[in-house]
């Protein structure tokens, strides 16, 4: 499992996180200023989780979901890998963050008037 300092020093991971932040920020360009801080915090977390979850998925796909452990001189066994444990915990948090962002996006989505309602009203008056 990567340590936080390893992630900070991993420029590729940082680039991916920044790219994800940029992508998510596009969805919230018109968010009210009073909600921007909360939204930005959620975007930062979601971006981090997205990149790290992708790395964990690749690791799990390559190495499997279990790891061998030794407990004493002659006691061996298999258990769920630490990466799977972290993934399971992180994916739950990630889904909560995405749900919050989706709710905020839905509440702040203002549809532009395409004239369809006016068209229907004019048709009713015939």
């Amino acid at each position: 499992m990567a340590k936080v300092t390893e992630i900070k020093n991993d420029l590729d991971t940082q680039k991916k996180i920044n790219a994800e932040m940029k992508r998510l920020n596009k969805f919230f360009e018109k968010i009210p200023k009073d909600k921007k801080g909360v939204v930005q915090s959620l975007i930062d977390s979601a971006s981090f989780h997205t990149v790290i979850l992708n790395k964990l998925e690749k690791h799990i796909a390559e190495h499997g979901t279990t790891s061998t452990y030794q407990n004493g001189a002659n006691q061996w066994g298999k258990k769920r890998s630490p990466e799977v444990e972290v993934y399971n915990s992180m994916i739950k948090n990630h889904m909560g963050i995405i749900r919050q962002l989706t709710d905020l996006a839905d509440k702040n989505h203002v549809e532009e008037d395409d004239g369809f309602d006016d068209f229907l009203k004019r048709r009713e008056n015939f």
Side-chain angles (χ1 to χ4, degrees), residues 47-122:
S47 301
F48 174 79
H49 283 130
T50 298
V51 173
I52 300 304
L53 284 166
N54 286 335
K55 285 183 142 200
L56 287 167
E57 287 171 2
K58 287 178 186 175
H59 180 87
I60 292 166
E62 290 175 17
H63 298 96
T65 59
T66 60
S67 62
T68 304
Y69 70 91
Q70 182 179 3
N71 189 13
N74 296 321
Q75 188 177 8
W76 294 80
K78 287 196 176 243
K79 65 177 183 173
R80 192 177 331 178
S81 72
E83 291 80 11
V84 170
E85 297 283 346
V86 171
Y87 181 87
N88 287 340
S89 175
M90 191 178 268
I91 194 74
K92 290 175 188 172
N93 293 334
H94 182 65
M95 294 311 299
I97 291 167
I98 296 301
R99 190 172 303 114
Q100 286 179 299
L101 284 171
T102 303
D103 289 347
L104 286 166
D106 289 344
K107 289 178 184 174
N108 290 292
H109 179 70
V110 178
E111 292 187 27
E112 293 183 24
D113 185 12
D114 61 359
F116 185 70
D117 291 333
D118 290 335
F119 169 76
L120 289 177
K121 286 178 186 175
R122 286 193 308 265

Side-chain angles (χ1 to χ4, degrees), residues 14 16-18 20-22 24-25 28 36-52 94 97 101:
Q14 281 300 317
K16 289 177 182 176
I17 291 170
N18 290 337
E20 183 66 10
M21 287 170 125
K22 189 174 183 179
L24 289 175
N25 273 312
F28 294 94
K36 189 64 177 171
V38 172
V39 169
Q40 192 59 55
S41 176
L42 290 169
I43 288 172
D44 294 349
S45 293
S47 301
F48 174 79
H49 283 130
T50 298
V51 173
I52 300 304
H94 182 65
I97 291 167
L101 284 171

